Amino acid sequence: QGPISPSRPAPPPRKQNNTTKNRAAAMGISRDSRHKHRKTGGRRNIHQKKRKFEMGRPAALCKMGSKRVRPVRCRGGNMKYRALRIDSGNFAWGSE
């Protein structure tokens, strides 16, 4: 049980657990206020699950290029149109 000698082969790399590797992808985006503290500074008890109306979606991160717009179903069956790529619009560059 001493130090590893040069003749001993290195152990195989550890296999990552799938839940820890993709934790950011597995978590949902929520717009609830149950995770916040009370006005007095105390913690809130979470007594219900996430609700559909509190759902949030990832940012579109629109790029410049040929027009690519996707319809997104919203509350009440209404549709919003998410621009993924677009060739004209209002743009701001922080470096210029």
Side-chain angles (χ1 to χ4, degrees):
Q1 293 274 2
I4 298 175
S5 63
S7 62
R8 182 190 272 179
R14 273 194 172 168
K15 189 174 182 183
Q16 279 189 328
N17 190 350
N18 207 11
T19 56
T20 57
K21 188 171 81 172
N22 296 331
R23 187 174 300 269
M27 292 177 66
I29 298 172
S30 181
R31 297 173 47 241
D32 67 334
S33 60
R34 290 189 305 273
H35 67 281
K36 295 188 172 188
H37 287 256
R38 299 174 194 261
K39 286 182 184 176
T40 59
R43 301 295 301 268
R44 273 184 209 270
N45 294 329
I46 297 175
H47 67 281
Q48 67 182 31
K49 294 182 179 180
K50 293 179 182 179
R51 303 294 196 217
K52 173 79 172 176
F53 62 83
E54 296 169 343
M55 180 181 71
R57 290 196 175 95
L61 301 174
C62 186
K63 308 272 191 299
M64 289 184 73
S66 59
K67 189 173 179 180
R68 180 185 291 173
V69 178
R70 296 280 183 264
V72 178
R73 186 190 179 276
C74 299
R75 190 165 161 86
N78 298 314
M79 299 299 280
K80 285 185 177 180
Y81 297 95
R82 174 90 17 100
L84 303 177
R85 260 196 254 153
I86 203 154
D87 53 5
S88 62
N90 295 327
F91 300 101
W93 276 268
S95 60
E96 296 195 19

